[in-house]
PDB file of all heavy atoms in Angstrom:
ATOM      1  N   ARG Z   1     155.177 132.953 152.334  1.00 96.00           N
ATOM      2  CA  ARG Z   1     155.336 134.404 152.365  1.00 96.00           C
ATOM      3  C   ARG Z   1     156.281 134.799 153.482  1.00 96.00           C
ATOM      4  O   ARG Z   1     156.337 134.146 154.523  1.00 96.00           O
ATOM      5  CB  ARG Z   1     153.994 135.118 152.490  1.00 96.00           C
ATOM      6  CG  ARG Z   1     153.249 134.909 153.774  1.00 96.00           C
ATOM      7  CD  ARG Z   1     151.825 135.483 153.682  1.00 96.00           C
ATOM      8  NE  ARG Z   1     151.818 136.935 153.604  1.00 96.00           N
ATOM      9  CZ  ARG Z   1     150.771 137.660 153.166  1.00 96.00           C
ATOM     10  NH1 ARG Z   1     149.672 137.044 152.793  1.00 96.00           N
ATOM     11  NH2 ARG Z   1     150.826 138.975 153.137  1.00 96.00           N
ATOM     12  N   ASP Z   2     156.971 135.898 153.243  1.00 95.00           N
ATOM     13  CA  ASP Z   2     157.846 136.506 154.237  1.00 95.00           C
ATOM     14  C   ASP Z   2     157.354 137.932 154.425  1.00 95.00           C
ATOM     15  O   ASP Z   2     157.679 138.829 153.640  1.00 95.00           O
ATOM     16  CB  ASP Z   2     159.295 136.472 153.745  1.00 95.00           C
ATOM     17  CG  ASP Z   2     160.281 136.989 154.783  1.00 95.00           C
ATOM     18  OD1 ASP Z   2     159.846 137.716 155.705  1.00 95.00           O
ATOM     19  OD2 ASP Z   2     161.471 136.696 154.660  1.00 95.00           O
ATOM     20  N   ASN Z   3     156.557 138.152 155.453  1.00 91.00           N
ATOM     21  CA  ASN Z   3     155.959 139.471 155.651  1.00 91.00           C
ATOM     22  C   ASN Z   3     157.000 140.523 155.991  1.00 91.00           C
ATOM     23  O   ASN Z   3     156.793 141.711 155.724  1.00 91.00           O
ATOM     24  CB  ASN Z   3     154.878 139.407 156.722  1.00 91.00           C
ATOM     25  CG  ASN Z   3     153.591 138.796 156.197  1.00 91.00           C
ATOM     26  OD1 ASN Z   3     153.480 138.458 155.018  1.00 91.00           O
ATOM     27  ND2 ASN Z   3     152.616 138.631 157.071  1.00 91.00           N
ATOM     28  N   ALA Z   4     158.105 140.124 156.563  1.00 93.00           N
ATOM     29  CA  ALA Z   4     159.170 141.081 156.876  1.00 93.00           C
ATOM     30  C   ALA Z   4     159.822 141.627 155.610  1.00 93.00           C
ATOM     31  O   ALA Z   4     160.357 142.733 155.597  1.00 93.00           O
ATOM     32  CB  ALA Z   4     160.220 140.416 157.759  1.00 93.00           C
ATOM     33  N   LYS Z   5     159.761 140.834 154.524  1.00 94.00           N
ATOM     34  CA  LYS Z   5     160.359 141.242 153.252  1.00 94.00           C
ATOM     35  C   LYS Z   5     159.307 141.596 152.207  1.00 94.00           C
ATOM     36  O   LYS Z   5     159.644 141.824 151.044  1.00 94.00           O
ATOM     37  CB  LYS Z   5     161.266 140.136 152.718  1.00 94.00           C
ATOM     38  CG  LYS Z   5     162.465 139.850 153.612  1.00 94.00           C
ATOM     39  CD  LYS Z   5     163.366 138.781 153.015  1.00 94.00           C
ATOM     40  CE  LYS Z   5     164.581 138.537 153.902  1.00 94.00           C
ATOM     41  NZ  LYS Z   5     165.468 137.476 153.344  1.00 94.00           N
ATOM     42  N   ASN Z   6     158.023 141.610 152.621  1.00 95.00           N
ATOM     43  CA  ASN Z   6     156.934 141.956 151.694  1.00 95.00           C
ATOM     44  C   ASN Z   6     156.977 141.103 150.423  1.00 95.00           C
ATOM     45  O   ASN Z   6     156.778 141.615 149.311  1.00 95.00           O
ATOM     46  CB  ASN Z   6     156.985 143.443 151.318  1.00 95.00           C
ATOM     47  CG  ASN Z   6     156.540 144.349 152.431  1.00 95.00           C
ATOM     48  OD1 ASN Z   6     156.313 143.898 153.557  1.00 95.00           O
ATOM     49  ND2 ASN Z   6     156.422 145.617 152.148  1.00 95.00           N
ATOM     50  N   THR Z   7     157.213 139.831 150.588  1.00 96.00           N
ATOM     51  CA  THR Z   7     157.392 138.956 149.433  1.00 96.00           C
ATOM     52  C   THR Z   7     156.645 137.636 149.620  1.00 96.00           C
ATOM     53  O   THR Z   7     156.612 137.095 150.730  1.00 96.00           O
ATOM     54  CB  THR Z   7     158.883 138.665 149.190  1.00 96.00           C
ATOM     55  OG1 THR Z   7     159.587 139.901 149.044  1.00 96.00           O
ATOM     56  CG2 THR Z   7     159.079 137.844 147.920  1.00 96.00           C
ATOM     57  N   VAL Z   8     156.052 137.170 148.537  1.00 97.00           N
ATOM     58  CA  VAL Z   8     155.432 135.851 148.484  1.00 97.00           C
ATOM     59  C   VAL Z   8     156.178 135.025 147.451  1.00 97.00           C
ATOM     60  O   VAL Z   8     156.605 135.550 146.418  1.00 97.00           O
ATOM     61  CB  VAL Z   8     153.942 135.954 148.122  1.00 97.00           C
ATOM     62  CG1 VAL Z   8     153.338 134.581 147.862  1.00 97.00           C
ATOM     63  CG2 VAL Z   8     153.175 136.652 149.228  1.00 97.00           C
ATOM     64  N   PHE Z   9     156.310 133.741 147.744  1.00 98.00           N
ATOM     65  CA  PHE Z   9     157.033 132.835 146.856  1.00 98.00           C
ATOM     66  C   PHE Z   9     156.116 131.713 146.384  1.00 98.00           C
ATOM     67  O   PHE Z   9     155.199 131.303 147.099  1.00 98.00           O
ATOM     68  CB  PHE Z   9     158.236 132.231 147.578  1.00 98.00           C
ATOM     69  CG  PHE Z   9     159.173 133.242 148.159  1.00 98.00           C
ATOM     70  CD1 PHE Z   9     159.088 133.595 149.504  1.00 98.00           C
ATOM     71  CD2 PHE Z   9     160.131 133.860 147.368  1.00 98.00           C
ATOM     72  CE1 PHE Z   9     159.944 134.538 150.047  1.00 98.00           C
ATOM     73  CE2 PHE Z   9     160.989 134.802 147.898  1.00 98.00           C
ATOM     74  CZ  PHE Z   9     160.893 135.146 149.243  1.00 98.00           C
ATOM     75  N   LEU Z  10     156.409 131.211 145.203  1.00 98.00           N
ATOM     76  CA  LEU Z  10     155.741 130.003 144.706  1.00 98.00           C
ATOM     77  C   LEU Z  10     156.834 129.066 144.195  1.00 98.00           C
ATOM     78  O   LEU Z  10     157.424 129.320 143.150  1.00 98.00           O
ATOM     79  CB  LEU Z  10     154.745 130.322 143.603  1.00 98.00           C
ATOM     80  CG  LEU Z  10     153.914 129.122 143.132  1.00 98.00           C
ATOM     81  CD1 LEU Z  10     152.941 128.682 144.231  1.00 98.00           C
ATOM     82  CD2 LEU Z  10     153.137 129.454 141.854  1.00 98.00           C
ATOM     83  N   GLN Z  11     157.103 128.031 144.971  1.00 98.00           N
ATOM     84  CA  GLN Z  11     158.073 127.021 144.564  1.00 98.00           C
ATOM     85  C   GLN Z  11     157.362 125.992 143.701  1.00 98.00           C
ATOM     86  O   GLN Z  11     156.387 125.377 144.148  1.00 98.00           O
ATOM     87  CB  GLN Z  11     158.688 126.351 145.788  1.00 98.00           C
ATOM     88  CG  GLN Z  11     159.672 125.244 145.468  1.00 98.00           C
ATOM     89  CD  GLN Z  11     160.928 125.767 144.795  1.00 98.00           C
ATOM     90  OE1 GLN Z  11     161.476 126.795 145.203  1.00 98.00           O
ATOM     91  NE2 GLN Z  11     161.406 125.062 143.773  1.00 98.00           N
ATOM     92  N   MET Z  12     157.848 125.821 142.485  1.00 98.00           N
ATOM     93  CA  MET Z  12     157.198 124.917 141.538  1.00 98.00           C
ATOM     94  C   MET Z  12     158.157 123.794 141.174  1.00 98.00           C
ATOM     95  O   MET Z  12     159.227 124.046 140.596  1.00 98.00           O
ATOM     96  CB  MET Z  12     156.784 125.692 140.277  1.00 98.00           C
ATOM     97  CG  MET Z  12     155.929 126.905 140.570  1.00 98.00           C
ATOM     98  SD  MET Z  12     155.270 127.690 139.083  1.00 98.00           S
ATOM     99  CE  MET Z  12     156.773 128.219 138.292  1.00 98.00           C
ATOM    100  N   ASN Z  13     157.790 122.592 141.535  1.00 98.00           N
ATOM    101  CA  ASN Z  13     158.605 121.416 141.256  1.00 98.00           C
ATOM    102  C   ASN Z  13     157.882 120.474 140.303  1.00 98.00           C
ATOM    103  O   ASN Z  13     156.670 120.594 140.095  1.00 98.00           O
ATOM    104  CB  ASN Z  13     158.927 120.684 142.559  1.00 98.00           C
ATOM    105  CG  ASN Z  13     159.727 121.519 143.539  1.00 98.00           C
ATOM    106  OD1 ASN Z  13     160.537 122.366 143.136  1.00 98.00           O
ATOM    107  ND2 ASN Z  13     159.516 121.274 144.823  1.00 98.00           N
ATOM    108  N   SER Z  14     158.627 119.541 139.738  1.00 98.00           N
ATOM    109  CA  SER Z  14     158.055 118.534 138.825  1.00 98.00           C
ATOM    110  C   SER Z  14     157.187 119.190 137.760  1.00 98.00           C
ATOM    111  O   SER Z  14     156.055 118.760 137.500  1.00 98.00           O
ATOM    112  CB  SER Z  14     157.228 117.509 139.624  1.00 98.00           C
ATOM    113  OG  SER Z  14     158.026 116.872 140.604  1.00 98.00           O
ATOM    114  N   LEU Z  15     157.715 120.212 137.144  1.00 98.00           N
ATOM    115  CA  LEU Z  15     156.934 120.979 136.178  1.00 98.00           C
ATOM    116  C   LEU Z  15     156.597 120.155 134.943  1.00 98.00           C
ATOM    117  O   LEU Z  15     157.382 119.302 134.496  1.00 98.00           O
ATOM    118  CB  LEU Z  15     157.683 122.250 135.785  1.00 98.00           C
ATOM    119  CG  LEU Z  15     157.633 123.355 136.842  1.00 98.00           C
ATOM    120  CD1 LEU Z  15     158.722 124.374 136.634  1.00 98.00           C
ATOM    121  CD2 LEU Z  15     156.267 124.024 136.836  1.00 98.00           C
ATOM    122  N   LYS Z  16     155.412 120.423 134.407  1.00 98.00           N
ATOM    123  CA  LYS Z  16     154.894 119.715 133.246  1.00 98.00           C
ATOM    124  C   LYS Z  16     154.632 120.712 132.117  1.00 98.00           C
ATOM    125  O   LYS Z  16     154.418 121.894 132.384  1.00 98.00           O
ATOM    126  CB  LYS Z  16     153.581 119.022 133.608  1.00 98.00           C
ATOM    127  CG  LYS Z  16     153.655 118.100 134.807  1.00 98.00           C
ATOM    128  CD  LYS Z  16     152.271 117.576 135.170  1.00 98.00           C
ATOM    129  CE  LYS Z  16     152.308 116.674 136.386  1.00 98.00           C
ATOM    130  NZ  LYS Z  16     150.957 116.175 136.743  1.00 98.00           N
ATOM    131  N   PRO Z  17     154.608 120.252 130.879  1.00 97.00           N
ATOM    132  CA  PRO Z  17     154.298 121.169 129.774  1.00 97.00           C
ATOM    133  C   PRO Z  17     152.973 121.904 129.969  1.00 97.00           C
ATOM    134  O   PRO Z  17     152.851 123.072 129.570  1.00 97.00           O
ATOM    135  CB  PRO Z  17     154.259 120.241 128.555  1.00 97.00           C
ATOM    136  CG  PRO Z  17     155.193 119.135 128.907  1.00 97.00           C
ATOM    137  CD  PRO Z  17     155.007 118.925 130.384  1.00 97.00           C
ATOM    138  N   GLU Z  18     152.007 121.256 130.601  1.00 97.00           N
ATOM    139  CA  GLU Z  18     150.706 121.911 130.818  1.00 97.00           C
ATOM    140  C   GLU Z  18     150.757 123.007 131.876  1.00 97.00           C
ATOM    141  O   GLU Z  18     149.772 123.713 132.091  1.00 97.00           O
ATOM    142  CB  GLU Z  18     149.627 120.879 131.183  1.00 97.00           C
ATOM    143  CG  GLU Z  18     150.002 119.949 132.308  1.00 97.00           C
ATOM    144  CD  GLU Z  18     150.539 118.619 131.800  1.00 97.00           C
ATOM    145  OE1 GLU Z  18     151.369 118.629 130.850  1.00 97.00           O
ATOM    146  OE2 GLU Z  18     150.153 117.573 132.360  1.00 97.00           O
ATOM    147  N   ASP Z  19     151.900 123.168 132.538  1.00 98.00           N
ATOM    148  CA  ASP Z  19     152.069 124.291 133.466  1.00 98.00           C
ATOM    149  C   ASP Z  19     152.472 125.572 132.737  1.00 98.00           C
ATOM    150  O   ASP Z  19     152.552 126.632 133.338  1.00 98.00           O
ATOM    151  CB  ASP Z  19     153.135 123.960 134.514  1.00 98.00           C
ATOM    152  CG  ASP Z  19     152.715 122.854 135.452  1.00 98.00           C
ATOM    153  OD1 ASP Z  19     151.545 122.838 135.877  1.00 98.00           O
ATOM    154  OD2 ASP Z  19     153.563 121.991 135.766  1.00 98.00           O
ATOM    155  N   THR Z  20     152.729 125.469 131.445  1.00 98.00           N
ATOM    156  CA  THR Z  20     153.112 126.641 130.663  1.00 98.00           C
ATOM    157  C   THR Z  20     151.991 127.672 130.668  1.00 98.00           C
ATOM    158  O   THR Z  20     150.855 127.367 130.311  1.00 98.00           O
ATOM    159  CB  THR Z  20     153.441 126.228 129.220  1.00 98.00           C
ATOM    160  OG1 THR Z  20     154.593 125.380 129.227  1.00 98.00           O
ATOM    161  CG2 THR Z  20     153.721 127.446 128.356  1.00 98.00           C
ATOM    162  N   ALA Z  21     152.334 128.893 131.076  1.00 98.00           N
ATOM    163  CA  ALA Z  21     151.332 129.959 131.196  1.00 98.00           C
ATOM    164  C   ALA Z  21     152.029 131.236 131.658  1.00 98.00           C
ATOM    165  O   ALA Z  21     153.201 131.218 132.024  1.00 98.00           O
ATOM    166  CB  ALA Z  21     150.245 129.568 132.196  1.00 98.00           C
ATOM    167  N   ILE Z  22     151.268 132.319 131.657  1.00 98.00           N
ATOM    168  CA  ILE Z  22     151.701 133.531 132.352  1.00 98.00           C
ATOM    169  C   ILE Z  22     151.182 133.426 133.782  1.00 98.00           C
ATOM    170  O   ILE Z  22     149.995 133.160 133.999  1.00 98.00           O
ATOM    171  CB  ILE Z  22     151.160 134.797 131.673  1.00 98.00           C
ATOM    172  CG1 ILE Z  22     151.678 134.887 130.240  1.00 98.00           C
ATOM    173  CG2 ILE Z  22     151.586 136.040 132.462  1.00 98.00           C
ATOM    174  CD1 ILE Z  22     151.092 136.046 129.449  1.00 98.00           C
ATOM    175  N   TYR Z  23     152.073 133.626 134.720  1.00 98.00           N
ATOM    176  CA  TYR Z  23     151.732 133.517 136.133  1.00 98.00           C
ATOM    177  C   TYR Z  23     151.607 134.915 136.740  1.00 98.00           C
ATOM    178  O   TYR Z  23     152.492 135.761 136.577  1.00 98.00           O
ATOM    179  CB  TYR Z  23     152.787 132.705 136.870  1.00 98.00           C
ATOM    180  CG  TYR Z  23     152.657 131.218 136.614  1.00 98.00           C
ATOM    181  CD1 TYR Z  23     152.939 130.685 135.362  1.00 98.00           C
ATOM    182  CD2 TYR Z  23     152.227 130.360 137.611  1.00 98.00           C
ATOM    183  CE1 TYR Z  23     152.794 129.333 135.109  1.00 98.00           C
ATOM    184  CE2 TYR Z  23     152.077 128.995 137.378  1.00 98.00           C
ATOM    185  CZ  TYR Z  23     152.368 128.498 136.127  1.00 98.00           C
ATOM    186  OH  TYR Z  23     152.222 127.150 135.876  1.00 98.00           O
ATOM    187  N   TYR Z  24     150.503 135.120 137.445  1.00 98.00           N
ATOM    188  CA  TYR Z  24     150.197 136.414 138.045  1.00 98.00           C
ATOM    189  C   TYR Z  24     150.114 136.301 139.559  1.00 98.00           C
ATOM    190  O   TYR Z  24     149.489 135.383 140.087  1.00 98.00           O
ATOM    191  CB  TYR Z  24     148.868 136.943 137.539  1.00 98.00           C
ATOM    192  CG  TYR Z  24     148.807 137.204 136.050  1.00 98.00           C
ATOM    193  CD1 TYR Z  24     148.382 136.215 135.175  1.00 98.00           C
ATOM    194  CD2 TYR Z  24     149.163 138.446 135.530  1.00 98.00           C
ATOM    195  CE1 TYR Z  24     148.325 136.445 133.807  1.00 98.00           C
ATOM    196  CE2 TYR Z  24     149.101 138.696 134.170  1.00 98.00           C
ATOM    197  CZ  TYR Z  24     148.683 137.688 133.317  1.00 98.00           C
ATOM    198  OH  TYR Z  24     148.618 137.928 131.971  1.00 98.00           O
ATOM    199  N   CYS Z  25     150.698 137.272 140.204  1.00 97.00           N
ATOM    200  CA  CYS Z  25     150.522 137.452 141.638  1.00 97.00           C
ATOM    201  C   CYS Z  25     149.377 138.436 141.834  1.00 97.00           C
ATOM    202  O   CYS Z  25     149.243 139.404 141.070  1.00 97.00           O
ATOM    203  CB  CYS Z  25     151.829 138.000 142.210  1.00 97.00           C
ATOM    204  SG  CYS Z  25     151.762 138.508 143.926  1.00 97.00           S
ATOM    205  N   ALA Z  26     148.550 138.203 142.849  1.00 97.00           N
ATOM    206  CA  ALA Z  26     147.385 139.052 143.061  1.00 97.00           C
ATOM    207  C   ALA Z  26     147.116 139.217 144.544  1.00 97.00           C
ATOM    208  O   ALA Z  26     147.401 138.310 145.336  1.00 97.00           O
ATOM    209  CB  ALA Z  26     146.172 138.430 142.375  1.00 97.00           C
ATOM    210  N   ALA Z  27     146.549 140.352 144.902  1.00 95.00           N
ATOM    211  CA  ALA Z  27     146.313 140.653 146.315  1.00 95.00           C
ATOM    212  C   ALA Z  27     144.864 141.028 146.573  1.00 95.00           C
ATOM    213  O   ALA Z  27     144.216 141.681 145.753  1.00 95.00           O
ATOM    214  CB  ALA Z  27     147.220 141.788 146.765  1.00 95.00           C
ATOM    215  N   ARG Z  28     144.390 140.620 147.733  1.00 94.00           N
ATOM    216  CA  ARG Z  28     143.056 140.991 148.194  1.00 94.00           C
ATOM    217  C   ARG Z  28     143.196 141.581 149.593  1.00 94.00           C
ATOM    218  O   ARG Z  28     143.742 140.935 150.495  1.00 94.00           O
ATOM    219  CB  ARG Z  28     142.145 139.767 148.224  1.00 94.00           C
ATOM    220  CG  ARG Z  28     140.854 139.934 149.012  1.00 94.00           C
ATOM    221  CD  ARG Z  28     139.901 140.925 148.377  1.00 94.00           C
ATOM    222  NE  ARG Z  28     138.721 141.127 149.204  1.00 94.00           N
ATOM    223  CZ  ARG Z  28     137.520 140.643 148.930  1.00 94.00           C
ATOM    224  NH1 ARG Z  28     137.335 139.916 147.843  1.00 94.00           N
ATOM    225  NH2 ARG Z  28     136.522 140.865 149.729  1.00 94.00           N
ATOM    226  N   ARG Z  29     142.727 142.798 149.754  1.00 92.00           N
ATOM    227  CA  ARG Z  29     142.773 143.429 151.073  1.00 92.00           C
ATOM    228  C   ARG Z  29     141.824 142.695 152.014  1.00 92.00           C
ATOM    229  O   ARG Z  29     140.656 142.497 151.687  1.00 92.00           O
ATOM    230  CB  ARG Z  29     142.377 144.889 150.985  1.00 92.00           C
ATOM    231  CG  ARG Z  29     143.414 145.774 150.321  1.00 92.00           C
ATOM    232  CD  ARG Z  29     143.061 147.239 150.522  1.00 92.00           C
ATOM    233  NE  ARG Z  29     144.008 148.137 149.887  1.00 92.00           N
ATOM    234  CZ  ARG Z  29     145.135 148.546 150.445  1.00 92.00           C
ATOM    235  NH1 ARG Z  29     145.464 148.116 151.644  1.00 92.00           N
ATOM    236  NH2 ARG Z  29     145.932 149.385 149.802  1.00 92.00           N
ATOM    237  N   THR Z  30     142.341 142.303 153.169  1.00 91.00           N
ATOM    238  CA  THR Z  30     141.489 141.629 154.148  1.00 91.00           C
ATOM    239  C   THR Z  30     142.160 141.636 155.502  1.00 91.00           C
ATOM    240  O   THR Z  30     143.388 141.573 155.600  1.00 91.00           O
ATOM    241  CB  THR Z  30     141.196 140.184 153.729  1.00 91.00           C
ATOM    242  OG1 THR Z  30     140.356 139.569 154.716  1.00 91.00           O
ATOM    243  CG2 THR Z  30     142.480 139.355 153.624  1.00 91.00           C
ATOM    244  N   PHE Z  31     141.355 141.716 156.551  1.00 86.00           N
ATOM    245  CA  PHE Z  31     141.852 141.550 157.909  1.00 86.00           C
ATOM    246  C   PHE Z  31     141.404 140.214 158.493  1.00 86.00           C
ATOM    247  O   PHE Z  31     141.662 139.926 159.662  1.00 86.00           O
ATOM    248  CB  PHE Z  31     141.403 142.720 158.785  1.00 86.00           C
ATOM    249  CG  PHE Z  31     142.074 144.014 158.424  1.00 86.00           C
ATOM    250  CD1 PHE Z  31     141.394 144.973 157.694  1.00 86.00           C
ATOM    251  CD2 PHE Z  31     143.386 144.254 158.781  1.00 86.00           C
ATOM    252  CE1 PHE Z  31     142.012 146.164 157.346  1.00 86.00           C
ATOM    253  CE2 PHE Z  31     144.012 145.437 158.438  1.00 86.00           C
ATOM    254  CZ  PHE Z  31     143.321 146.402 157.720  1.00 86.00           C
ATOM    255  N   ALA Z  32     140.746 139.423 157.651  1.00 85.00           N
ATOM    256  CA  ALA Z  32     140.334 138.082 158.081  1.00 85.00           C
ATOM    257  C   ALA Z  32     141.545 137.161 157.998  1.00 85.00           C
ATOM    258  O   ALA Z  32     142.084 136.934 156.910  1.00 85.00           O
ATOM    259  CB  ALA Z  32     139.207 137.571 157.188  1.00 85.00           C
ATOM    260  N   SER Z  33     141.948 136.607 159.131  1.00 85.00           N
ATOM    261  CA  SER Z  33     143.202 135.866 159.184  1.00 85.00           C
ATOM    262  C   SER Z  33     143.186 134.592 158.366  1.00 85.00           C
ATOM    263  O   SER Z  33     144.232 134.109 157.950  1.00 85.00           O
ATOM    264  CB  SER Z  33     143.559 135.551 160.639  1.00 85.00           C
ATOM    265  OG  SER Z  33     142.536 134.759 161.212  1.00 85.00           O
ATOM    266  N   GLY Z  34     141.989 134.016 158.127  1.00 88.00           N
ATOM    267  CA  GLY Z  34     141.946 132.753 157.410  1.00 88.00           C
ATOM    268  C   GLY Z  34     141.541 132.872 155.960  1.00 88.00           C
ATOM    269  O   GLY Z  34     141.368 131.868 155.272  1.00 88.00           O
ATOM    270  N   TYR Z  35     141.424 134.094 155.459  1.00 91.00           N
ATOM    271  CA  TYR Z  35     140.932 134.278 154.096  1.00 91.00           C
ATOM    272  C   TYR Z  35     142.025 134.009 153.081  1.00 91.00           C
ATOM    273  O   TYR Z  35     143.159 134.463 153.216  1.00 91.00           O
ATOM    274  CB  TYR Z  35     140.389 135.697 153.902  1.00 91.00           C
ATOM    275  CG  TYR Z  35     139.851 135.918 152.514  1.00 91.00           C
ATOM    276  CD1 TYR Z  35     138.593 135.441 152.153  1.00 91.00           C
ATOM    277  CD2 TYR Z  35     140.609 136.571 151.549  1.00 91.00           C
ATOM    278  CE1 TYR Z  35     138.107 135.621 150.873  1.00 91.00           C
ATOM    279  CE2 TYR Z  35     140.127 136.754 150.268  1.00 91.00           C
ATOM    280  CZ  TYR Z  35     138.883 136.278 149.941  1.00 91.00           C
ATOM    281  OH  TYR Z  35     138.403 136.434 148.661  1.00 91.00           O
ATOM    282  N   CYS Z  36     141.646 133.297 152.016  1.00 93.00           N
ATOM    283  CA  CYS Z  36     142.597 132.883 150.983  1.00 93.00           C
ATOM    284  C   CYS Z  36     141.905 133.057 149.630  1.00 93.00           C
ATOM    285  O   CYS Z  36     140.951 132.344 149.343  1.00 93.00           O
ATOM    286  CB  CYS Z  36     142.975 131.414 151.226  1.00 93.00           C
ATOM    287  SG  CYS Z  36     144.393 130.804 150.316  1.00 93.00           S
ATOM    288  N   PRO Z  37     142.324 134.006 148.804  1.00 90.00           N
ATOM    289  CA  PRO Z  37     141.604 134.288 147.563  1.00 90.00           C
ATOM    290  C   PRO Z  37     141.863 133.251 146.475  1.00 90.00           C
ATOM    291  O   PRO Z  37     142.997 133.014 146.075  1.00 90.00           O
ATOM    292  CB  PRO Z  37     142.159 135.654 147.148  1.00 90.00           C
ATOM    293  CG  PRO Z  37     143.538 135.684 147.721  1.00 90.00           C
ATOM    294  CD  PRO Z  37     143.463 134.898 148.997  1.00 90.00           C
ATOM    295  N   THR Z  38     140.796 132.629 145.987  1.00 87.00           N
ATOM    296  CA  THR Z  38     140.940 131.618 144.950  1.00 87.00           C
ATOM    297  C   THR Z  38     140.294 132.021 143.632  1.00 87.00           C
ATOM    298  O   THR Z  38     140.536 131.389 142.608  1.00 87.00           O
ATOM    299  CB  THR Z  38     140.315 130.293 145.410  1.00 87.00           C
ATOM    300  OG1 THR Z  38     138.932 130.518 145.725  1.00 87.00           O
ATOM    301  CG2 THR Z  38     141.019 129.760 146.649  1.00 87.00           C
ATOM    302  N   ALA Z  39     139.479 133.054 143.640  1.00 89.00           N
ATOM    303  CA  ALA Z  39     138.768 133.466 142.432  1.00 89.00           C
ATOM    304  C   ALA Z  39     139.243 134.833 141.972  1.00 89.00           C
ATOM    305  O   ALA Z  39     139.436 135.742 142.780  1.00 89.00           O
ATOM    306  CB  ALA Z  39     137.263 133.501 142.693  1.00 89.00           C
TER     307      ALA Z  39
END
């Protein structure tokens, strides 16, 4: 992520057919510095 540009990136290498999907970016409001949303 680049907080100065308000942007998150996902670099995807060695792509496989099973990676085919619609990809969604999602946000969770938090002030916890170590929180990482997985669900």
Side-chain angles (χ1 to χ4, degrees):
R1 66 189 292 162
D2 185 340
N3 283 357
K5 296 182 178 179
N6 287 8
T7 304
V8 172
F9 305 97
L10 186 69
Q11 178 67 43
M12 306 187 296
N13 298 328
S14 302
L15 284 161
K16 305 174 181 180
E18 51 263 44
D19 293 319
T20 295
I22 299 175
Y23 284 69
Y24 298 91
C25 172
R28 165 67 184 254
R29 288 191 181 275
T30 180
F31 291 103
S33 61
Y35 181 78
C36 193
T38 58

